[in-house]
Amino acid sequence: MIDLDDVGALRRNDPQGMGERIAELPWQCRQAWEIIESQPIPADYAQADSVVILGMGGSAIGGDLVRTLVRDLCPVPIFINRRYDLPRFVGQDTLVIASSYSGNTEETLAAFREASRRGAKLLALTTDGELAQMAKNPLTFSYVAQPRAALGFSLVMLLGILTRLGFVPDPAPDLEEAIEVMKELGSKLREEVPTSQNAAKRLALLLRGKLPVIYAAQHLAPVARRWKTQFNENGKCFAFFEVLPELHHNTVEAFPYPGELAEKGVILLLTSRLYHPRNILRFQVTEEMLDRYGIAHWSTEAEGRSLLSQALSTIHFGDYVSLFLAALRGVNPSSVETIAYLKKRLAQA
Amino acid sequence: MIDLDDVGALRRNDPQGMGERIAELPWQCRQAWEIIESQPIPADYAQADSVVILGMGGSAIGGDLVRTLVRDLCPVPIFINRRYDLPRFVGQDTLVIASSYSGNTEETLAAFREASRRGAKLLALTTDGELAQMAKNPLTFSYVAQPRAALGFSLVMLLGILTRLGFVPDPAPDLEEAIEVMKELGSKLREEVPTSQNAAKRLALLLRGKLPVIYAAQHLAPVARRWKTQFNENGKCFAFFEVLPELHHNTVEAFPYPGELAEKGVILLLTSRLYHPRNILRFQVTEEMLDRYGIAHWSTEAEGRSLLSQALSTIHFGDYVSLFLAALRGVNPSSVETIAYLKKRLAQA
């Protein structure tokens, strides 16, 4: 087991530099905002009556986040499409944005082709691949990393598209705040900060050998999903997430009978002062109930004034936890051997 | 531990008759179709440019199912809203349908009030409560049961609303098929059928003391959620669900390191001949991988010709599994003591 205070050992466990990619998130967000400001977006796309974002995995989560963050602002509905096909309503008046880091995600390409056949207003967000070829004016960025480590680009460029088209007011002040909050938080979580002062290292130690289950609400619900997928991909660890208040209508009936989860499960609660007052109360009551039934749990309150900075800073925290979890489990946080095997196996069929 | 072949013991464990409610699902669906045909729905609601269904828990899942089932048919987008508030785009041109069995679900009432303030086109689906008072012409039904046991009403009445407004073609032939498939399946799963011939009893025995994780795609994704919530509420058991192909982009990286799930976890795969060919292949490859890494799994193929009958028959199966799981765990499948405590605790605040 790697000692989390042995920075050399942490670096040796991370030969492709996932730790550096994580540290770069604030920089990535600023870079993405500058890139999108100069990219070509047809002005008449502002007439779209709905937005559909195509993507899978690390390239889809930016869409989830943006959709939730602009929920109170955007006058048209936004959908995230994680399928090969498109819903019937997608047509000429729909803005379809394909997000694929590699540009070669088969589900995204299939749905993009269908959107093209239906005459939808098309945009493509990618580094390269078949998607860059197919799209007339792809919105491209360069960043050598795993798709999940390019979240700053996919999230902020999507936000930039919606801003340019007038669907949301200029988020630049919130983005500046988010970058500052992330920088400050990152300085407390990076590899050099010892466990005694590093909340991400301490949480990773708590989760060692455990099954994390993340609970969140509202703007942090897609952040809970991000934590789950980062634990999966960086930490090679099973994890699940659930959303409040929905889980109060079903999951809680299992609380008094935690046998099947008790030994391994740890509930992680992502809380926020910006939640609806009833949800703030619901989180408090959830903690009381978990205490009563002896179910291990841990909670953190999101940092930052805006929804955007709370979402981004909580993501930054979770990314670091997943990095240290990988070290404790002795796995390379960058590798995706199983996903690569799966793609090869599917290509042969 | 109750012997699943002791019908008397099963009945004693189920004093409020959840088993009977489950058995009634085909009848419920027919009844719901007849009721909705005679209820008042303003014809000009057909002009709505989007549909938002408000609901939580057992009253929301009908919306999830309908949204997925009419994905290829409905010319306007459909949203499920499990929150206190509404997205910005909801306004005069939105059809907002509140679904609450009791009519007193606080999240649903809050969102319905907001929809009313915004001048949305309103419908309410309920048995009673404040929702029935607030709505001008509530679409009501009578059925004494837990909300989750009234799924036939919420699902089929929603489908009926969309049909009456011309958003989807008449589903009556598919519904007839679904009712026949459920009746046939139910005759093989009911309490009197011994374990040796009863697939639901056998699956419940496999899941005893285990943590079920349900995988599905496309029209069965909301069915996976239904299984999860029925295991929670009827079985008082933790359970999770995930959706393909999304999980191929993250979860699979945990497969080679199943330590935290291996002892307790069982993956349940809901398959279908109606899936996209690539998803059919993805399920096969998933099973191969689970075998390779020694992760317990079990799969079933949905019965029926149409999406609707596949969804309803797989729900019927899962409902029976949850009933027998309750018996094995010695818990009353109808009770919701923890949800009731939570409501009381929240009411005091």
Side-chain angles (χ1 to χ4, degrees):
Chain A
M1 175 179 151
I2 289 176
D3 176 356
L4 294 184
D5 288 341
D6 179 345
V7 177
L10 288 176
R11 295 272 155 77
R12 284 190 296 280
N13 192 63
D14 180 21
Q16 281 89 44
M18 181 60 78
E20 286 169 68
R21 300 295 85 71
I22 289 172
E24 285 165 356
L25 184 61
W27 168 88
Q28 242 191 63
C29 290
R30 177 161 289 144
Q31 177 87 345
W33 187 250
E34 285 164 12
I35 290 175
I36 197 66
E37 284 191 311
S38 63
Q39 299 246 12
I41 300 171
D44 67 324
Y45 281 18
Q47 307 309 317
D49 63 12
S50 59
V51 177
V52 174
I53 301 171
L54 315 178
M56 303 300 301
S59 297
I61 189 79
D64 283 324
L65 285 157
V66 166
R67 184 178 65 135
T68 310
L69 291 169
V70 305
R71 190 182 144 95
D72 290 340
L73 305 168
C74 185
V76 301
I78 302 176
F79 287 83
I80 314 304
N81 197 77
R82 288 182 162 93
R83 289 177 52 150
Y84 287 91
D85 57 355
L86 291 173
R88 159 84 191 277
F89 76 84
V90 175
Q92 295 180 351
D93 296 323
T94 316
L95 169 57
V96 174
I97 310 173
S99 176
S100 167
Y101 175 86
S102 68
N104 293 319
T105 312
E106 68 172 43
E107 299 93 321
T108 307
L109 290 174
F112 190 75
R113 268 184 224 109
E114 175 62 22
S116 175
R117 269 194 292 273
R118 296 194 197 173
K121 303 176 199 307
L122 301 174
L123 287 177
L125 204 56
T126 186
T127 62
D128 198 3
E130 203 177 326
L131 185 59
Q133 300 295 320
M134 279 166 61
K136 273 188 201 151
N137 285 305
L139 308 174
T140 57
F141 61 98
S142 292
Y143 187 63
V144 179
Q146 286 293 320
R148 61 188 178 278
L151 177 66
F153 286 101
S154 61
L155 187 162
V156 174
M157 288 175 74
L158 284 172
L159 206 49
I161 293 167
L162 297 181
T163 308
R164 290 270 300 281
L165 293 174
F167 288 131
V168 300
D170 187 358
D174 287 353
L175 189 60
E176 278 310 308
E177 191 222 340
I179 290 169
E180 289 315 306
V181 172
M182 278 192 283
K183 280 183 179 169
E184 173 72 18
L185 184 65
S187 73
K188 297 175 191 164
L189 303 178
R190 62 176 202 272
E191 287 134 307
E192 290 80 0
V193 179
T195 305
S196 60
Q197 294 155 54
N198 190 319
K201 288 184 178 177
R202 286 210 301 281
L203 180 54
L205 283 165
L206 180 73
L207 294 180
R208 187 164 183 262
K210 299 291 181 184
L211 183 68
V213 181
I214 305 122
Y215 288 178
Q218 299 180 222
H219 60 297
L220 300 182
V223 175
R225 184 199 273 262
R226 168 71 172 185
W227 279 43
K228 178 249 177 236
T229 57
Q230 289 289 80
F231 291 175
N232 292 156
E233 289 190 84
N234 291 348
K236 279 74 177 167
C237 174
F238 280 95
F240 300 99
F241 77 102
E242 293 212 41
V243 176
L244 259 89
E246 173 62 19
L247 75 87
H248 277 184
H249 297 265
N250 32 64
T251 311
V252 291
E253 283 298 326
F255 282 9
Y257 309 89
E260 287 68 30
L261 201 73
E263 288 165 43
K264 298 285 185 179
V266 182
I267 312 283
L268 308 181
L269 301 111
L270 307 184
T271 71
S272 167
R273 280 163 296 149
L274 301 179
Y275 283 162
H276 187 288
R278 296 297 279 174
N279 284 334
I280 290 176
L281 176 61
R282 284 179 183 276
F283 270 87
Q284 290 165 359
V285 179
T286 304
E287 292 197 66
E288 288 170 19
M289 293 170 78
L290 293 170
D291 275 336
R292 180 173 324 137
Y293 297 114
I295 301 170
H297 60 98
W298 172 98
S299 75
T300 186
E301 188 177 294
E303 294 187 23
R305 282 193 306 273
S306 65
L307 298 179
L308 181 64
S309 67
Q310 290 205 346
L312 274 170
S313 61
T314 311
I315 283 169
H316 206 35
F317 185 23
D319 284 0
Y320 272 110
V321 177
S322 71
L323 178 75
F324 298 129
L325 202 53
L328 291 174
R329 295 168 66 89
V331 297
N332 178 347
S334 296
S335 74
V336 282
E337 286 174 27
T338 314
I339 293 171
Y341 163 79
L342 194 53
K343 282 186 186 159
K344 210 175 112 193
R345 176 76 182 70
L346 287 165
Q348 287 163 351
Chain B
M1 175 180 152
I2 290 176
D3 176 356
L4 294 184
D5 288 342
D6 179 344
V7 178
L10 288 176
R11 294 273 155 78
R12 283 189 297 279
N13 192 62
D14 180 19
Q16 281 88 44
M18 182 59 79
E20 285 168 70
R21 301 292 88 68
I22 291 172
E24 284 166 355
L25 184 60
W27 169 87
Q28 244 191 62
C29 290
R30 176 160 291 145
Q31 177 88 344
W33 187 250
E34 285 164 13
I35 290 176
I36 197 65
E37 282 192 310
S38 63
Q39 299 246 11
I41 299 171
D44 66 326
Y45 280 18
Q47 308 307 317
D49 63 12
S50 59
V51 177
V52 174
I53 301 171
L54 315 178
M56 303 301 300
S59 297
I61 190 77
D64 284 323
L65 284 157
V66 165
R67 184 178 66 134
T68 311
L69 291 169
V70 304
R71 192 181 142 94
D72 292 339
L73 304 169
C74 184
V76 301
I78 302 176
F79 287 82
I80 313 304
N81 197 78
R82 288 182 162 92
R83 289 177 52 150
Y84 287 91
D85 57 355
L86 291 173
R88 161 82 192 279
F89 76 84
V90 174
Q92 294 181 351
D93 296 323
T94 315
L95 169 58
V96 173
I97 310 172
S99 175
S100 168
Y101 175 86
S102 68
N104 293 319
T105 312
E106 69 172 45
E107 301 94 320
T108 307
L109 289 174
F112 189 74
R113 269 183 223 108
E114 175 61 22
S116 174
R117 270 194 291 274
R118 296 194 197 172
K121 303 177 199 306
L122 302 174
L123 288 176
L125 203 55
T126 186
T127 61
D128 198 3
E130 204 176 326
L131 185 59
Q133 299 295 319
M134 279 165 64
K136 272 189 204 151
N137 284 305
L139 308 174
T140 56
F141 61 98
S142 292
Y143 187 64
V144 180
Q146 286 293 320
R148 60 188 179 278
L151 177 65
F153 286 101
S154 60
L155 188 161
V156 173
M157 287 175 76
L158 285 171
L159 205 50
I161 293 167
L162 297 180
T163 308
R164 290 270 300 280
L165 293 172
F167 288 131
V168 300
D170 186 359
D174 287 353
L175 189 61
E176 278 308 310
E177 190 222 341
I179 290 169
E180 289 314 306
V181 172
M182 278 192 283
K183 280 184 180 170
E184 172 72 18
L185 184 65
S187 73
K188 297 176 191 163
L189 303 178
R190 63 176 201 273
E191 288 135 306
E192 290 80 1
V193 179
T195 305
S196 60
Q197 294 156 55
N198 189 320
K201 288 185 179 179
R202 288 210 301 279
L203 180 53
L205 284 164
L206 179 74
L207 294 179
R208 189 163 182 261
K210 298 292 181 182
L211 183 66
V213 181
I214 305 122
Y215 288 178
Q218 300 180 221
H219 61 297
L220 300 182
V223 175
R225 182 198 275 262
R226 168 72 174 184
W227 279 43
K228 179 249 179 235
T229 57
Q230 290 288 79
F231 291 175
N232 292 155
E233 290 190 85
N234 291 348
K236 278 75 178 167
C237 174
F238 280 95
F240 300 99
F241 77 101
E242 292 212 41
V243 175
L244 259 88
E246 172 64 17
L247 73 89
H248 278 184
H249 296 265
N250 32 64
T251 311
V252 291
E253 282 298 325
F255 281 9
Y257 309 90
E260 287 68 31
L261 200 73
E263 288 166 43
K264 298 283 187 182
V266 181
I267 312 282
L268 309 182
L269 302 111
L270 308 185
T271 71
S272 166
R273 281 162 295 148
L274 299 180
Y275 282 162
H276 187 288
R278 298 296 281 174
N279 284 335
I280 290 175
L281 176 61
R282 284 179 183 275
F283 270 87
Q284 289 165 1
V285 179
T286 304
E287 291 198 65
E288 288 170 20
M289 294 170 78
L290 293 170
D291 275 336
R292 179 174 323 135
Y293 297 115
I295 301 169
H297 60 97
W298 172 98
S299 76
T300 187
E301 188 178 293
E303 294 186 23
R305 282 194 307 274
S306 64
L307 297 179
L308 181 65
S309 67
Q310 289 205 346
L312 276 170
S313 61
T314 311
I315 283 169
H316 206 37
F317 185 23
D319 284 0
Y320 271 111
V321 176
S322 71
L323 178 75
F324 299 129
L325 202 52
L328 291 174
R329 294 168 68 87
V331 296
N332 177 347
S334 297
S335 74
V336 282
E337 287 175 23
T338 314
I339 292 171
Y341 163 79
L342 193 54
K343 282 186 187 159
K344 209 174 114 192
R345 176 76 182 72
L346 287 164
Q348 287 162 352

